PDB file of all heavy atoms in Angstrom:
ATOM      1  N   TRP A 188      27.599  31.846 -46.890  1.00 78.00           N
ATOM      2  CA  TRP A 188      28.985  32.418 -46.518  1.00 78.00           C
ATOM      3  C   TRP A 188      29.354  33.566 -47.407  1.00 78.00           C
ATOM      4  O   TRP A 188      30.205  34.471 -46.976  1.00 78.00           O
ATOM      5  CB  TRP A 188      30.058  31.301 -46.527  1.00 78.00           C
ATOM      6  CG  TRP A 188      30.313  30.704 -47.894  1.00 78.00           C
ATOM      7  CD1 TRP A 188      29.604  29.488 -48.334  1.00 78.00           C
ATOM      8  CD2 TRP A 188      31.053  31.111 -48.887  1.00 78.00           C
ATOM      9  NE1 TRP A 188      30.065  29.377 -49.560  1.00 78.00           N
ATOM     10  CE2 TRP A 188      31.006  30.278 -50.006  1.00 78.00           C
ATOM     11  CE3 TRP A 188      31.935  32.155 -49.096  1.00 78.00           C
ATOM     12  CZ2 TRP A 188      31.626  30.374 -51.224  1.00 78.00           C
ATOM     13  CZ3 TRP A 188      32.657  32.300 -50.254  1.00 78.00           C
ATOM     14  CH2 TRP A 188      32.552  31.492 -51.250  1.00 78.00           C
ATOM     15  N   ARG A 189      28.696  33.731 -48.579  1.00 83.00           N
ATOM     16  CA  ARG A 189      28.980  34.831 -49.381  1.00 83.00           C
ATOM     17  C   ARG A 189      28.442  36.105 -48.847  1.00 83.00           C
ATOM     18  O   ARG A 189      28.923  37.282 -49.294  1.00 83.00           O
ATOM     19  CB  ARG A 189      28.461  34.549 -50.852  1.00 83.00           C
ATOM     20  CG  ARG A 189      29.154  33.432 -51.566  1.00 83.00           C
ATOM     21  CD  ARG A 189      28.592  33.264 -53.019  1.00 83.00           C
ATOM     22  NE  ARG A 189      29.044  32.098 -53.642  1.00 83.00           N
ATOM     23  CZ  ARG A 189      30.132  32.007 -54.248  1.00 83.00           C
ATOM     24  NH1 ARG A 189      30.979  33.023 -54.520  1.00 83.00           N
ATOM     25  NH2 ARG A 189      30.348  30.774 -54.886  1.00 83.00           N
ATOM     26  N   TYR A 190      27.509  36.021 -47.970  1.00 85.00           N
ATOM     27  CA  TYR A 190      26.810  37.163 -47.422  1.00 85.00           C
ATOM     28  C   TYR A 190      26.874  37.004 -45.777  1.00 85.00           C
ATOM     29  O   TYR A 190      25.853  36.745 -45.298  1.00 85.00           O
ATOM     30  CB  TYR A 190      25.378  37.384 -47.862  1.00 85.00           C
ATOM     31  CG  TYR A 190      25.331  37.457 -49.394  1.00 85.00           C
ATOM     32  CD1 TYR A 190      24.990  36.373 -50.196  1.00 85.00           C
ATOM     33  CD2 TYR A 190      25.597  38.676 -50.003  1.00 85.00           C
ATOM     34  CE1 TYR A 190      24.997  36.431 -51.615  1.00 85.00           C
ATOM     35  CE2 TYR A 190      25.580  38.710 -51.490  1.00 85.00           C
ATOM     36  CZ  TYR A 190      25.240  37.541 -52.215  1.00 85.00           C
ATOM     37  OH  TYR A 190      25.220  37.634 -53.498  1.00 85.00           O
ATOM     38  N   PRO A 191      27.983  37.197 -45.289  1.00 75.00           N
ATOM     39  CA  PRO A 191      28.142  36.842 -43.787  1.00 75.00           C
ATOM     40  C   PRO A 191      27.306  37.721 -42.850  1.00 75.00           C
ATOM     41  O   PRO A 191      27.065  37.438 -41.692  1.00 75.00           O
ATOM     42  CB  PRO A 191      29.504  37.026 -43.526  1.00 75.00           C
ATOM     43  CG  PRO A 191      30.173  37.920 -44.591  1.00 75.00           C
ATOM     44  CD  PRO A 191      29.229  37.612 -45.746  1.00 75.00           C
ATOM     45  N   ASP A 192      26.652  38.883 -43.279  1.00 85.00           N
ATOM     46  CA  ASP A 192      25.931  39.767 -42.545  1.00 85.00           C
ATOM     47  C   ASP A 192      24.361  39.434 -42.561  1.00 85.00           C
ATOM     48  O   ASP A 192      23.595  40.216 -42.325  1.00 85.00           O
ATOM     49  CB  ASP A 192      26.200  41.176 -42.860  1.00 85.00           C
ATOM     50  CG  ASP A 192      27.583  41.541 -42.571  1.00 85.00           C
ATOM     51  OD1 ASP A 192      28.182  41.135 -41.582  1.00 85.00           O
ATOM     52  OD2 ASP A 192      28.099  42.450 -43.204  1.00 85.00           O
ATOM     53  N   GLY A 193      24.070  38.163 -42.999  1.00 83.00           N
ATOM     54  CA  GLY A 193      22.698  37.819 -42.928  1.00 83.00           C
ATOM     55  C   GLY A 193      22.105  37.043 -44.094  1.00 83.00           C
ATOM     56  O   GLY A 193      20.982  36.873 -44.279  1.00 83.00           O
ATOM     57  N   GLY A 194      22.906  36.686 -45.002  1.00 91.00           N
ATOM     58  CA  GLY A 194      22.503  36.096 -46.315  1.00 91.00           C
ATOM     59  C   GLY A 194      22.087  34.609 -45.986  1.00 91.00           C
ATOM     60  O   GLY A 194      22.654  33.904 -45.146  1.00 91.00           O
ATOM     61  N   LEU A 195      20.954  34.102 -46.662  1.00 94.00           N
ATOM     62  CA  LEU A 195      20.559  32.751 -46.479  1.00 94.00           C
ATOM     63  C   LEU A 195      20.392  32.094 -47.811  1.00 94.00           C
ATOM     64  O   LEU A 195      20.364  32.723 -48.834  1.00 94.00           O
ATOM     65  CB  LEU A 195      19.192  32.735 -45.788  1.00 94.00           C
ATOM     66  CG  LEU A 195      19.134  33.201 -44.339  1.00 94.00           C
ATOM     67  CD1 LEU A 195      17.685  33.318 -43.907  1.00 94.00           C
ATOM     68  CD2 LEU A 195      20.009  32.426 -43.413  1.00 94.00           C
ATOM     69  N   LYS A 196      20.448  30.776 -47.854  1.00 94.00           N
ATOM     70  CA  LYS A 196      20.326  30.017 -49.058  1.00 94.00           C
ATOM     71  C   LYS A 196      19.855  28.591 -48.769  1.00 94.00           C
ATOM     72  O   LYS A 196      19.893  28.183 -47.569  1.00 94.00           O
ATOM     73  CB  LYS A 196      21.685  29.884 -49.816  1.00 94.00           C
ATOM     74  CG  LYS A 196      22.666  29.051 -49.088  1.00 94.00           C
ATOM     75  CD  LYS A 196      23.970  28.952 -49.932  1.00 94.00           C
ATOM     76  CE  LYS A 196      24.989  28.075 -49.166  1.00 94.00           C
ATOM     77  NZ  LYS A 196      26.144  27.951 -50.008  1.00 94.00           N
ATOM     78  N   LEU A 197      19.284  27.867 -49.687  1.00 96.00           N
ATOM     79  CA  LEU A 197      18.903  26.521 -49.537  1.00 96.00           C
ATOM     80  C   LEU A 197      20.219  25.685 -49.924  1.00 96.00           C
ATOM     81  O   LEU A 197      20.724  25.917 -50.936  1.00 96.00           O
ATOM     82  CB  LEU A 197      17.700  26.156 -50.344  1.00 96.00           C
ATOM     83  CG  LEU A 197      16.408  26.662 -49.958  1.00 96.00           C
ATOM     84  CD1 LEU A 197      15.284  26.276 -50.993  1.00 96.00           C
ATOM     85  CD2 LEU A 197      15.997  26.227 -48.540  1.00 96.00           C
ATOM     86  N   ASP A 198      20.609  24.703 -49.139  1.00 95.00           N
ATOM     87  CA  ASP A 198      21.822  23.927 -49.434  1.00 95.00           C
ATOM     88  C   ASP A 198      21.463  22.533 -49.000  1.00 95.00           C
ATOM     89  O   ASP A 198      20.590  22.201 -48.304  1.00 95.00           O
ATOM     90  CB  ASP A 198      22.930  24.442 -48.618  1.00 95.00           C
ATOM     91  CG  ASP A 198      24.266  24.198 -49.341  1.00 95.00           C
ATOM     92  OD1 ASP A 198      24.222  23.488 -50.308  1.00 95.00           O
ATOM     93  OD2 ASP A 198      25.272  24.593 -48.778  1.00 95.00           O
ATOM     94  N   SER A 199      22.238  21.650 -49.602  1.00 97.00           N
ATOM     95  CA  SER A 199      22.030  20.206 -49.426  1.00 97.00           C
ATOM     96  C   SER A 199      23.332  19.578 -49.223  1.00 97.00           C
ATOM     97  O   SER A 199      24.347  19.955 -49.698  1.00 97.00           O
ATOM     98  CB  SER A 199      21.364  19.447 -50.665  1.00 97.00           C
ATOM     99  OG  SER A 199      20.116  20.024 -50.837  1.00 97.00           O
ATOM    100  N   GLY A 200      23.425  18.477 -48.362  1.00 97.00           N
ATOM    101  CA  GLY A 200      24.693  17.772 -48.151  1.00 97.00           C
ATOM    102  C   GLY A 200      24.738  17.232 -46.711  1.00 97.00           C
ATOM    103  O   GLY A 200      23.817  17.620 -45.801  1.00 97.00           O
ATOM    104  N   THR A 201      25.657  16.382 -46.481  1.00 97.00           N
ATOM    105  CA  THR A 201      25.706  15.858 -45.112  1.00 97.00           C
ATOM    106  C   THR A 201      26.246  16.943 -44.209  1.00 97.00           C
ATOM    107  O   THR A 201      26.163  16.793 -43.002  1.00 97.00           O
ATOM    108  CB  THR A 201      26.677  14.619 -45.093  1.00 97.00           C
ATOM    109  OG1 THR A 201      27.981  14.897 -45.653  1.00 97.00           O
ATOM    110  CG2 THR A 201      26.080  13.564 -45.908  1.00 97.00           C
ATOM    111  N   SER A 202      26.933  17.970 -44.789  1.00 95.00           N
ATOM    112  CA  SER A 202      27.265  19.211 -44.045  1.00 95.00           C
ATOM    113  C   SER A 202      26.035  19.940 -43.436  1.00 95.00           C
ATOM    114  O   SER A 202      26.179  20.754 -42.467  1.00 95.00           O
ATOM    115  CB  SER A 202      28.121  20.125 -44.758  1.00 95.00           C
ATOM    116  OG  SER A 202      29.455  19.524 -44.936  1.00 95.00           O
ATOM    117  N   MET A 203      24.865  19.753 -44.053  1.00 96.00           N
ATOM    118  CA  MET A 203      23.635  20.197 -43.421  1.00 96.00           C
ATOM    119  C   MET A 203      23.030  19.354 -42.287  1.00 96.00           C
ATOM    120  O   MET A 203      22.476  19.791 -41.338  1.00 96.00           O
ATOM    121  CB  MET A 203      22.613  20.446 -44.516  1.00 96.00           C
ATOM    122  CG  MET A 203      23.069  21.307 -45.664  1.00 96.00           C
ATOM    123  SD  MET A 203      23.330  22.974 -45.196  1.00 96.00           S
ATOM    124  CE  MET A 203      25.053  23.104 -45.235  1.00 96.00           C
ATOM    125  N   ALA A 204      23.217  17.973 -42.590  1.00 97.00           N
ATOM    126  CA  ALA A 204      22.710  17.006 -41.558  1.00 97.00           C
ATOM    127  C   ALA A 204      23.519  17.016 -40.360  1.00 97.00           C
ATOM    128  O   ALA A 204      22.915  16.831 -39.165  1.00 97.00           O
ATOM    129  CB  ALA A 204      22.741  15.672 -42.268  1.00 97.00           C
ATOM    130  N   SER A 205      24.808  17.071 -40.386  1.00 97.00           N
ATOM    131  CA  SER A 205      25.715  17.036 -39.236  1.00 97.00           C
ATOM    132  C   SER A 205      25.396  17.969 -38.155  1.00 97.00           C
ATOM    133  O   SER A 205      25.315  17.613 -36.907  1.00 97.00           O
ATOM    134  CB  SER A 205      27.115  17.092 -39.710  1.00 97.00           C
ATOM    135  OG  SER A 205      28.045  16.914 -38.649  1.00 97.00           O
ATOM    136  N   PRO A 206      25.195  19.320 -38.546  1.00 95.00           N
ATOM    137  CA  PRO A 206      24.966  20.263 -37.405  1.00 95.00           C
ATOM    138  C   PRO A 206      23.595  20.066 -36.747  1.00 95.00           C
ATOM    139  O   PRO A 206      23.377  20.413 -35.596  1.00 95.00           O
ATOM    140  CB  PRO A 206      24.966  21.611 -38.065  1.00 95.00           C
ATOM    141  CG  PRO A 206      25.079  21.367 -39.503  1.00 95.00           C
ATOM    142  CD  PRO A 206      25.409  19.989 -39.782  1.00 95.00           C
ATOM    143  N   MET A 207      22.643  19.486 -37.489  1.00 95.00           N
ATOM    144  CA  MET A 207      21.347  19.184 -36.872  1.00 95.00           C
ATOM    145  C   MET A 207      21.505  18.075 -35.861  1.00 95.00           C
ATOM    146  O   MET A 207      20.990  18.221 -34.600  1.00 95.00           O
ATOM    147  CB  MET A 207      20.330  18.710 -37.888  1.00 95.00           C
ATOM    148  CG  MET A 207      19.862  19.778 -38.871  1.00 95.00           C
ATOM    149  SD  MET A 207      18.450  19.339 -39.614  1.00 95.00           S
ATOM    150  CE  MET A 207      18.284  20.669 -40.787  1.00 95.00           C
ATOM    151  N   ALA A 208      22.303  17.113 -36.133  1.00 96.00           N
ATOM    152  CA  ALA A 208      22.579  16.041 -35.061  1.00 96.00           C
ATOM    153  C   ALA A 208      23.362  16.543 -33.925  1.00 96.00           C
ATOM    154  O   ALA A 208      23.165  16.213 -32.807  1.00 96.00           O
ATOM    155  CB  ALA A 208      23.310  14.849 -35.796  1.00 96.00           C
ATOM    156  N   ALA A 209      24.344  17.459 -34.227  1.00 96.00           N
ATOM    157  CA  ALA A 209      25.138  17.994 -33.181  1.00 96.00           C
ATOM    158  C   ALA A 209      24.312  18.873 -32.227  1.00 96.00           C
ATOM    159  O   ALA A 209      24.448  18.901 -31.026  1.00 96.00           O
ATOM    160  CB  ALA A 209      26.358  18.943 -33.740  1.00 96.00           C
ATOM    161  N   GLY A 210      23.303  19.540 -32.765  1.00 93.00           N
ATOM    162  CA  GLY A 210      22.373  20.393 -31.919  1.00 93.00           C
ATOM    163  C   GLY A 210      21.529  19.570 -31.013  1.00 93.00           C
ATOM    164  O   GLY A 210      21.294  19.784 -29.856  1.00 93.00           O
ATOM    165  N   VAL A 211      21.055  18.464 -31.604  1.00 94.00           N
ATOM    166  CA  VAL A 211      20.287  17.484 -30.776  1.00 94.00           C
ATOM    167  C   VAL A 211      21.105  16.857 -29.707  1.00 94.00           C
ATOM    168  O   VAL A 211      20.675  16.717 -28.454  1.00 94.00           O
ATOM    169  CB  VAL A 211      19.638  16.358 -31.652  1.00 94.00           C
ATOM    170  CG1 VAL A 211      19.054  15.209 -30.768  1.00 94.00           C
ATOM    171  CG2 VAL A 211      18.645  16.875 -32.585  1.00 94.00           C
ATOM    172  N   MET A 212      22.409  16.531 -30.010  1.00 94.00           N
ATOM    173  CA  MET A 212      23.371  16.030 -29.020  1.00 94.00           C
ATOM    174  C   MET A 212      23.580  17.096 -27.924  1.00 94.00           C
ATOM    175  O   MET A 212      23.589  16.767 -26.725  1.00 94.00           O
ATOM    176  CB  MET A 212      24.668  15.657 -29.569  1.00 94.00           C
ATOM    177  CG  MET A 212      25.668  15.223 -28.630  1.00 94.00           C
ATOM    178  SD  MET A 212      25.318  13.694 -27.721  1.00 94.00           S
ATOM    179  CE  MET A 212      25.737  12.524 -28.986  1.00 94.00           C
ATOM    180  N   ALA A 213      23.772  18.349 -28.286  1.00 92.00           N
ATOM    181  CA  ALA A 213      23.912  19.425 -27.345  1.00 92.00           C
ATOM    182  C   ALA A 213      22.730  19.562 -26.406  1.00 92.00           C
ATOM    183  O   ALA A 213      22.893  19.779 -25.195  1.00 92.00           O
ATOM    184  CB  ALA A 213      24.234  20.789 -28.032  1.00 92.00           C
ATOM    185  N   LEU A 214      21.582  19.446 -26.979  1.00 91.00           N
ATOM    186  CA  LEU A 214      20.337  19.500 -26.134  1.00 91.00           C
ATOM    187  C   LEU A 214      20.183  18.312 -25.098  1.00 91.00           C
ATOM    188  O   LEU A 214      19.954  18.376 -24.025  1.00 91.00           O
ATOM    189  CB  LEU A 214      19.038  19.516 -26.920  1.00 91.00           C
ATOM    190  CG  LEU A 214      18.807  20.809 -27.725  1.00 91.00           C
ATOM    191  CD1 LEU A 214      17.679  20.589 -28.782  1.00 91.00           C
ATOM    192  CD2 LEU A 214      18.467  21.979 -26.706  1.00 91.00           C
ATOM    193  N   GLN A 215      20.583  17.073 -25.614  1.00 92.00           N
ATOM    194  CA  GLN A 215      20.581  15.988 -24.828  1.00 92.00           C
ATOM    195  C   GLN A 215      21.734  16.070 -23.619  1.00 92.00           C
ATOM    196  O   GLN A 215      21.388  15.761 -22.537  1.00 92.00           O
ATOM    197  CB  GLN A 215      20.937  14.678 -25.637  1.00 92.00           C
ATOM    198  CG  GLN A 215      21.119  13.391 -24.914  1.00 92.00           C
ATOM    199  CD  GLN A 215      19.882  12.998 -24.218  1.00 92.00           C
ATOM    200  OE1 GLN A 215      18.747  13.357 -24.587  1.00 92.00           O
ATOM    201  NE2 GLN A 215      19.917  12.116 -23.184  1.00 92.00           N
ATOM    202  N   LEU A 216      22.905  16.606 -23.994  1.00 91.00           N
ATOM    203  CA  LEU A 216      23.847  16.800 -22.895  1.00 91.00           C
ATOM    204  C   LEU A 216      23.448  17.872 -21.955  1.00 91.00           C
ATOM    205  O   LEU A 216      23.781  17.757 -20.687  1.00 91.00           O
ATOM    206  CB  LEU A 216      25.221  17.105 -23.495  1.00 91.00           C
ATOM    207  CG  LEU A 216      25.872  16.010 -24.363  1.00 91.00           C
ATOM    208  CD1 LEU A 216      27.145  16.534 -25.032  1.00 91.00           C
ATOM    209  CD2 LEU A 216      26.237  14.909 -23.429  1.00 91.00           C
ATOM    210  N   GLN A 217      22.817  18.918 -22.399  1.00 88.00           N
ATOM    211  CA  GLN A 217      22.225  19.867 -21.494  1.00 88.00           C
ATOM    212  C   GLN A 217      21.231  19.325 -20.505  1.00 88.00           C
ATOM    213  O   GLN A 217      21.209  19.606 -19.267  1.00 88.00           O
ATOM    214  CB  GLN A 217      21.556  21.016 -22.236  1.00 88.00           C
ATOM    215  CG  GLN A 217      21.067  22.171 -21.317  1.00 88.00           C
ATOM    216  CD  GLN A 217      20.289  23.074 -22.177  1.00 88.00           C
ATOM    217  OE1 GLN A 217      19.590  22.748 -23.154  1.00 88.00           O
ATOM    218  NE2 GLN A 217      20.161  24.337 -21.717  1.00 88.00           N
ATOM    219  N   ARG A 218      20.375  18.572 -21.011  1.00 88.00           N
ATOM    220  CA  ARG A 218      19.320  17.974 -20.149  1.00 88.00           C
ATOM    221  C   ARG A 218      19.831  16.813 -19.236  1.00 88.00           C
ATOM    222  O   ARG A 218      19.267  16.629 -18.201  1.00 88.00           O
ATOM    223  CB  ARG A 218      18.161  17.546 -20.975  1.00 88.00           C
ATOM    224  CG  ARG A 218      17.430  18.617 -21.717  1.00 88.00           C
ATOM    225  CD  ARG A 218      16.289  18.151 -22.486  1.00 88.00           C
ATOM    226  NE  ARG A 218      15.629  19.318 -23.155  1.00 88.00           N
ATOM    227  CZ  ARG A 218      15.273  19.392 -24.335  1.00 88.00           C
ATOM    228  NH1 ARG A 218      15.454  18.387 -25.194  1.00 88.00           N
ATOM    229  NH2 ARG A 218      14.698  20.523 -24.884  1.00 88.00           N
ATOM    230  N   ASN A 219      20.780  16.156 -19.753  1.00 86.00           N
ATOM    231  CA  ASN A 219      21.325  14.947 -18.997  1.00 86.00           C
ATOM    232  C   ASN A 219      22.895  15.033 -19.029  1.00 86.00           C
ATOM    233  O   ASN A 219      23.582  14.199 -19.731  1.00 86.00           O
ATOM    234  CB  ASN A 219      20.797  13.686 -19.712  1.00 86.00           C
ATOM    235  CG  ASN A 219      19.412  13.593 -19.673  1.00 86.00           C
ATOM    236  OD1 ASN A 219      18.636  13.497 -18.646  1.00 86.00           O
ATOM    237  ND2 ASN A 219      18.822  13.629 -20.967  1.00 86.00           N
ATOM    238  N   PRO A 220      23.429  15.948 -18.285  1.00 82.00           N
ATOM    239  CA  PRO A 220      24.914  15.954 -18.248  1.00 82.00           C
ATOM    240  C   PRO A 220      25.546  14.675 -17.835  1.00 82.00           C
ATOM    241  O   PRO A 220      25.035  14.018 -16.975  1.00 82.00           O
ATOM    242  CB  PRO A 220      25.262  17.049 -17.295  1.00 82.00           C
ATOM    243  CG  PRO A 220      23.974  17.856 -16.993  1.00 82.00           C
ATOM    244  CD  PRO A 220      22.857  16.858 -17.355  1.00 82.00           C
ATOM    245  N   PRO A 221      26.606  14.260 -18.521  1.00 77.00           N
ATOM    246  CA  PRO A 221      27.220  12.984 -18.129  1.00 77.00           C
ATOM    247  C   PRO A 221      27.808  13.121 -16.755  1.00 77.00           C
ATOM    248  O   PRO A 221      28.424  14.110 -16.390  1.00 77.00           O
ATOM    249  CB  PRO A 221      28.252  12.773 -19.297  1.00 77.00           C
ATOM    250  CG  PRO A 221      28.472  14.015 -19.847  1.00 77.00           C
ATOM    251  CD  PRO A 221      27.138  14.869 -19.682  1.00 77.00           C
TER     252      PRO A 221
END
Side-chain angles (χ1 to χ4, degrees):
W188 62 268
R189 293 184 192 270
Y190 305 99
D192 293 328
L195 298 173
K196 66 178 180 173
L197 290 177
D198 207 352
S199 297
T201 57
S202 288
M203 302 294 107
S205 181
M207 290 199 189
V211 171
M212 176 65 78
L214 288 171
Q215 176 66 18
L216 291 172
Q217 177 189 29
R218 291 184 180 130
N219 302 294

